[in-house]
Amino acid sequence: MPAVSKGDGMRGLAVFISDIRNCKSKEAEIKRINKELANIRSKFKGDKALDGYSKKKYVCKLLFIFLLGHDIDFGHMEAVNLLSSNKYTEKQIGYLFISVLVNSNSELIRLINNAIKNDLSSRNPTFMCLALHCIANVGSREMAEAFAGEIPRILVAGDTMDSVKQSAALCLLRLYKTSPDLVLMGEWTSRVVHLLNDQHMGVVTAAISLITCLSQKNPDEFKTCVSLAVSRLSRIVSSASTDLQDYTYYFVPAPWLSCKLLRLLQCYPPPEDGAVKGRLVECLETILNKAQEPPKSKKVQHSNAKNAILFEAISLIIHYDSEPNLLVRACNQLGQFLQHRETNLRYLALESMCTLASSEFSHEAVKTHIETVINALKTERDVSVRQRAADLLYAMCDRSNAKQIVAEMLSYLETADYSIREEMVLKVAILAEKYAVDYSWYVDTILNLIRIAGDYVSEEVWYRVIQIVINRDDVQGYAAKTVFEALQAPACHENMVKVGGYILGEFGNLIAGDPRSSPLVQFNLLHSKFHLCSVPTRALLLSAYIKFINLFPETKSTIQEVLRSDSQIRNSDVELQQRAVEYLKLSSIASTDVLATVLEEMPPFPERESSILAKLKKKKGPGAVSVNELEEGKREGGELNGGGERGGDSSAISTPSPSADLLGLRAGPPVTAAAPSAGSLLVDVFSEAGSGSLASYFQFVCKNNGVLFENQLLQIGIKSEYRQNLGRMYLFYGNKTSVQFVTFTTTLNVQAKPVEPLIEGGAQVQQVINIECLTDFSDAPLLNIKFRYGGALQNLTLKLPVTINKFFQPTEMASHDFFQRWKQLSLPQQEAQKIFKANHAMDTEVLKAKLLGLGMALLENVDPNPENFVCAGVIQTKAQQVGSLLRLEPNAQAQMYRLTVRSSKDTVSKRLCELLAEQF
Amino acid sequence: MQFMLLFSRQGKLRLQKWYVPLSDKEKKKITRELVQTVLARKPKMCSFLEWRDLKIVYKRYASLYFCCAIEDQDNELITLEIIHRYVELLDKYFGSVCELDIIFNFEKAYFILDEFLLGGEAQETSKKNVLKAIEQADLLQEDAKEAETPRSVLEEIGLT
């Protein structure tokens, strides 16, 4: 018999539990349980009415059986009966059973809700708490419907006991999470906020969780909580460790409440009121100071509680990202933790520094810890800590330290855990490409990568190195020499053979002058690997061979012999056989000139975004792409923008023509280089018929070309290109009549080059407008057109379809980073949301095309729901870059969409939301 | 907090509290996966790990593992102390708590947890206040017991 039993100890239950524990096998346990279930069933069905105690005991046994992992399909009714018992202990077990095993049976829900209602109105605080706990534990919609109106009243009523208030606050929070539409604070808002001032610390602790959640969703209504939270925090931070009695935890005053206060403040921007802000900064400084004081206790609980507050304070400092002094102090503090003996602190410091690395104020300070982080990568015994260190190295990497970091990551790769190798390989490949100043270093790095971790080098990585070598002639000779050397190794990875085959086939001639790498030596080296390779690699090598015949006529007979051998020309693999046959024939019948033309050096690849980034984004690994991917865009964007001129006009549009060419905006046909996503959508001007008179301005949100306006007389076509914060728009004025338009003038509310004053019948004139986006904007520039047609003055005003989204640069990121960014943009005003009816058929491909046309990167495999679309991009304006994230959730059944946009600037979120709501 | 699990070194689940709606099947899957992951870790390793899109915070007390799943913006260290405070509460209530106390009085372990955490958030962090609430309830039980009629002999020796 167990010696342990407390309170009312149900003896029968204890015996049953003992029996189960004594069962020697799973079968014996199941047998014992089935026996018990049969017993309970018969008791419940029996004629004799059970007393409350027995009912409680059996219900408790059922609960125990369920918690062991078995299914329970009866006893719910008996549990519900217990709810209306006036014995506390029976009621309590009844509620526990319901909380754990809630059943959606509508009949029961009605009965349960009735019992809860009775207890809520009983004015017995113990019963009220039980009922509130049950609602909070179940949190179903039915309960929200029944009680969401009642609970706020209980929460703020003057005569409610403190313990009931605490339960009510968290109960409401749970209901708000499940059914936000049913929980309406309305008139109670200000009284709920003032719970932050409550004398009872427990009430404040419970209420603040509710207030934080409500503030995230309704920031404006709750913004008065900021000053209250600051003054509460300030009182706690400055209190002596004994002031708060039982709310002091191991000499730390109210650690839970402090963390929650700091968390609540992260829902808002820094306080505008100078006094409040001053007080808050003081609090943050005090918290940072306390970290330097000697500990008041040696217990780990003391340091954990103290550091929990410190980390939350640092999160707030990073969230504000506006106090350079605090940011640097935070960074120094974290730097100390990097070498702390507690693994937990090292882990958290590495994690927190990752976000600090993306702030311009602390990026440099973070970089000073590079040696410590590298050391962590080498020596930490816990793989999850090493992973954090690798993430941080990736985040702190820039041009100044790229060589060192890449070298360290490469050496770590030699011994890295298998689980993270592929991700590490991608990170190294990205950093090497991103920060490559000299391309020989880049080539060395990638070849090293293949040598060290060949199995983890995905196709994207070796494709990319070939693309870059092909496109840059200054590195081709070096690449040929390096792969040639790498292939000398007795055992080299197949990926190395692929790269080697391709590069020597193209550029082997560059090293053929050296007798040690003469054409035949090169060929023999490649061919020595041939038999160890898979079919696709062999196919690639055969192509390299035919290229050799062109590059080095002296190898022709040797190679033809190889091609002619049975193992090639009769290879059972069709692809190999075909290549051998065709290449052999080609080399025997084509003249040197023809051969040279067919086998000419590969043309440069179109410059496009790194496919490796796309790959990394697909990998669902922690920290797959650095959080500062957006920031990166910022820094680089900054340099490019340097050439732009500010127009005299305060409007967002001006005409900075002189710098346009510098930025590679060509006057020719549509650019494909800048935005691959837009490329495919660039359609022939006028290919889409404008539907008569006023073509919608909104129609151009997701496309750049088309007919802006058309009537009987005039057709106006638009072709436009955008890059960074600059754009160029071509307007084509077509005279549809056979009569001249005279005194044709256009005025833009900003300056534009004049247009030809005369348009012949049937003719078209062109006008070019250069655009620079100085800052974000909502209003479109207006274009006024006046002309005389057969004596009658025509006057027309059109909105030029220049919308803020035209200045998007797509940003690729991985799921993890997307959500991290998303959470960072959690200020209420940073989000704009619209729910609207579908105007067009909900075709996935059409939606995708539209979102691509918007200019953001459409991110695959980010949203857990494959029906949803998420996009990321940075709007380039001269004044600043505005990172934006978008999520579109189609609901095919309701023919509705929900669109959510988060940007670092509120006006941008709002504007994007308005523009897009018209598109789908 | 999304959920809290208590399990033994042998991987037996002793207490489970879910603060988000999940199906029984999903709960079992999560439990299996997490128990396996946490038990595989060595003693000196750090108490936090990334798991799916959640953060797991765990700590071992004697033969029992306490394991909480929190969201991205939640604070790991303060969660570690949530666990500790809960252990303190159990310890104070049972008087030097052991795994058997939690097995045989599982309902009490749930009641104490409900007083301390509600809906996944701290409701009352004062040890005194939580225990006062539980003891008051126990007093109510004592009163109720006295009023009850004597139970049958069979019941007394635990045969029903």
Side-chain angles (χ1 to χ4, degrees), chain A residues 2 4-15 17-18 21 29 39 43 53 57-58 60-61 63-64 66-67 69 71 87-90 92-93 96 126 132-133 136-137 163 166-167 170-171 173-174 177-178 200 202 205-206 209 216 246-247 249-250 255-256 259-260 263 300-301 304-305 307-309 311-312 343-345 347-348 351 381-385 388 622 816 823, chain B residues 1 12-14 16-21 24 27-28 41 44-50 53 55 59 61 71-82 84-85 88 92-94 98-101 103-108 110-111 114-119 121-129 133-134 136-138 140-142 144-145 147-149 151 155-160:
Chain A
V4 275
S5 179
K6 176 107 186 169
D8 65 326
M10 288 166 277
R11 206 173 161 76
L13 175 67
V15 170
I17 296 175
S18 263
R21 284 177 54 76
E29 182 185 308
N39 173 37
K43 294 286 181 194
Y53 172 81
K57 185 181 66 187
Y58 293 131
C60 216
K61 281 182 178 176
L63 187 56
F64 181 78
F66 177 78
L67 290 171
D71 290 335
K87 291 203 182 97
Y88 177 76
T89 145
E90 288 164 19
Q92 198 183 22
I93 295 290
L96 180 60
T126 329
L132 289 168
H133 291 177
N137 283 327
S163 61
Q166 288 166 274
S167 299
L170 293 175
C171 187
L173 170 61
R174 177 69 197 265
K177 281 184 184 164
T178 27
H200 191 281
T205 308
S209 297
Q216 279 166 346
D246 211 31
Y247 289 93
Y249 179 83
Y250 292 85
W256 285 280
C259 284
K260 287 188 173 201
R263 173 87 202 107
V300 68
Q301 283 76 27
N304 278 351
N307 291 328
I309 300 173
F311 274 106
E312 206 59 68
T343 315
N344 287 347
L345 285 181
Y347 176 95
L348 293 174
E351 189 183 42
R381 273 189 282 173
D382 184 345
V383 54
S384 39
V385 185
R388 288 284 84 83
H816 173 81
K823 278 172 191 157
Chain B
M1 188 185 297
K12 289 230 180 219
L13 189 59
R14 296 304 182 202
Q16 44 175 319
K17 189 78 187 180
W18 304 87
Y19 298 111
V20 283
D24 285 345
K27 287 178 188 172
K28 279 184 186 164
R41 290 176 64 86
K44 288 270 166 164
M45 286 188 164
C46 89
S47 313
F48 320 123
L49 50 124
E50 286 182 331
D53 54 346
K55 300 196 281 199
K59 186 159 181 180
Y61 288 85
E71 281 153 65
D72 196 47
Q73 74 272 20
D74 291 336
N75 188 312
E76 290 97 339
L77 284 175
I78 208 74
T79 309
L80 211 48
E81 294 319 299
I82 287 262
H84 187 73
R85 173 111 299 180
E88 284 185 348
K92 187 101 183 163
Y93 180 77
F94 288 108
C98 67
E99 192 181 339
L100 279 183
D101 292 314
I103 297 173
F104 281 97
N105 300 283
F106 68 95
E107 79 282 12
K108 292 284 188 240
Y110 279 98
F111 296 148
D114 271 355
E115 289 293 336
F116 176 41
L117 297 180
L118 195 59
E121 301 286 343
Q123 174 175 220
E124 177 56 86
T125 60
S126 150
K127 200 153 67 172
K128 254 187 230 157
N129 289 354
I134 294 290
Q136 264 173 1
D138 278 347
L140 282 172
Q141 276 174 196
E142 297 294 331
K145 219 159 142 192
E148 273 170 32
T149 49
R151 284 168 232 144
E155 162 65 25
E156 278 304 309
I157 57 167
L159 286 179
T160 57

Side-chain angles (χ1 to χ4, degrees), chain A residues 509-527:
Chain A
N509 55 328
L510 299 176
I511 56 167
D514 188 329
R516 284 166 299 175
S517 52
S518 70
L520 265 178
V521 174
Q522 287 185 41
F523 170 75
N524 287 332
L525 180 61
L526 279 181
H527 199 54

Side-chain angles (χ1 to χ4, degrees), chain A residues 281-329:
Chain A
V281 169
E282 213 171 280
C283 285
L284 294 171
E285 280 170 347
T286 312
I287 293 171
L288 285 166
N289 291 341
K290 280 189 179 174
Q292 297 300 327
E293 289 171 9
K296 293 197 175 69
S297 153
K298 284 213 164 63
K299 288 235 159 69
V300 68
Q301 283 76 27
H302 171 72
S303 69
N304 278 351
K306 195 166 132 183
N307 291 328
I309 300 173
L310 179 62
F311 274 106
E312 206 59 68
I314 292 176
S315 295
L316 182 62
I317 293 169
I318 297 173
H319 167 77
Y320 286 163
D321 198 10
S322 60
E323 301 283 329
N325 174 35
L326 289 176
L327 281 160
V328 170
R329 281 194 68 185

